[in-house]
Amino acid sequence: METIKIVIAGARGRMGSEAVKLVEETEHFSLVAVVDHKYDGMSLKELSGFEVDVPIYSDIDKCFFETNPDVLIDLTTPEIGKIHTKKALENGVRPVVGTTGFSESDLAELEELTNEKGIGAIIAPNFAIGAILMMKFSQMAAKYFQDVEIIEQHHDQKLDAPSGTGLKTAEMISAVREEKQQGHPNEAETLEGARGANFKGIRLHSVRLPGLIAHQEVLFGGDGQTLKLRHDSYNRASFMSGVKLAVENVMKIDLLVYGLENIIE
């Protein structure tokens, strides 16, 4: 298998450091550089916890020009991730993005750019294969259970709510579910927000607590029965199988893919 040259943005983060390990441990992956707003010009090996001797760039355009990578793995923040994704495509680099917070207009702009450049891009709200299966199973169940609520739980440093996974699950469910306002028609919140966010009648609840990583439960209700689908990530290593899958698949496509469920059979 031909070697895939990779740049990682966000390597000092918990997800990023796992991605560095993944690339180093995968025979046909090669880490050529990392992008970081600090430590420009240094080697990653000079930073605590890393043994990989690759350059650090603060200027992503310079990084792409000098290292000529195939793929950018971006595990930064929503704001920075959007900028990096666009710059990657402009430079002919295929982005694999684990950052959430992309709006429909953002995705439309990036889709146009991927079409223009003729290269692939994958944006994944969640890289955990189990979470992707939970989303697909939820979409299957929604054909038979119209009443559904989503409870997503994450660590207290997460910036966006609801999570990208929670929102993507609601979108997938709504694609097969006729829009319905759930609960009593005269229901009223005595405390604003008690019923959570409302996406086409689907209620989404976000929990943020220290000690959590990434967890989601989808609850369906019907006459005399309930169905609960739950996924738990207990560490960041749980996401790496999905990152590997995305990197390998982004080399084979020439379009924008939003969500790993679109490349899992």
Side-chain angles (χ1 to χ4, degrees):
M1 188 176 292
E2 191 171 338
T3 299
I4 301 172
K5 296 166 62 180
I6 297 170
V7 166
I8 295 175
R12 287 188 295 117
R14 292 175 180 173
M15 276 280 286
S17 60
E18 289 290 343
V20 171
K21 292 179 190 175
L22 169 72
V23 174
E24 284 302 292
E25 292 169 359
T26 305
E27 187 175 348
H28 57 286
F29 288 0
S30 174
L31 184 65
V32 296
V34 300
V35 174
D36 198 296
H37 69 282
K38 297 170 71 176
Y39 309 112
D40 183 51
M42 294 176 62
S43 167
L44 186 61
K45 193 173 183 178
E46 296 177 68
L47 304 186
S48 175
F50 295 99
E51 300 296 328
V52 193
D53 188 14
V54 295
I56 301 172
Y57 289 85
S58 291
D59 185 330
I60 196 168
D61 291 299
K62 182 181 179 183
C63 175
F64 291 150
F65 178 76
E66 293 187 356
T67 64
N68 191 32
D70 300 304
V71 173
L72 167 71
I73 298 175
D74 187 274
L75 301 167
T76 58
T77 64
E79 294 75 19
I80 300 301
K82 292 175 186 179
I83 296 169
H84 284 177
T85 304
K86 189 174 180 181
K87 283 185 173 290
L89 290 168
E90 289 171 346
N91 283 274
V93 179
R94 298 166 184 263
V96 168
V97 187
T99 312
T100 58
F102 286 83
S103 67
E104 288 187 10
S105 61
D106 292 330
L107 294 172
E109 181 184 4
L110 293 171
E111 185 174 25
E112 187 175 333
L113 199 50
T114 56
N115 293 337
E116 178 187 323
K117 296 293 183 179
I119 59 175
I122 295 177
I123 298 173
N126 197 316
F127 280 117
I129 300 298
I132 306 308
L133 292 172
M134 172 196 62
M135 293 159 69
K136 291 177 78 75
F137 296 158
S138 296
Q139 188 178 51
M140 291 172 61
K143 295 178 182 179
Y144 306 97
F145 291 87
Q146 278 205 314
D147 291 87
V148 54
E149 304 213 2
I150 299 168
I151 303 171
E152 56 91 354
Q153 305 174 29
H154 284 80
H155 55 89
D156 60 345
Q157 298 303 301
K158 186 168 178 60
L159 298 177
D160 55 324
S163 67
T165 301
L167 187 56
K168 181 66 175 176
T169 305
E171 291 170 351
M172 290 174 64
I173 289 172
S174 68
V176 299
R177 168 189 178 271
E178 186 176 339
E179 187 169 341
K180 174 186 179 181
Q181 298 303 316
Q182 298 176 175
H184 195 283
N186 297 324
E187 167 183 281
E189 292 181 330
T190 55
L191 192 61
E192 186 178 355
R195 290 288 290 116
N198 188 334
F199 183 88
K200 298 183 178 180
I202 302 167
R203 292 291 183 170
L204 286 90
H205 310 268
S206 297
V207 177
R208 298 291 178 267
L209 288 172
L212 295 172
I213 301 292
H215 317 263
Q216 181 168 295
E217 191 167 27
V218 186
L219 292 84
F220 294 91
D223 291 336
Q225 61 179 320
T226 60
L227 173 65
K228 299 178 183 178
L229 299 171
R230 183 180 175 94
H231 177 263
D232 298 277
S233 283
Y234 297 109
N235 57 47
R236 271 79 183 178
S238 65
F239 303 114
M240 291 306 110
S241 58
V243 173
K244 182 174 183 289
L245 180 71
V247 170
E248 291 170 342
N249 276 269
V250 80
M251 296 298 296
K252 305 172 186 176
I253 60 175
D254 57 3
L255 72 166
L256 174 67
V257 171
Y258 178 59
L260 287 192
E261 71 279 359
N262 295 299
I263 59 173
I264 292 179
E265 294 180 0

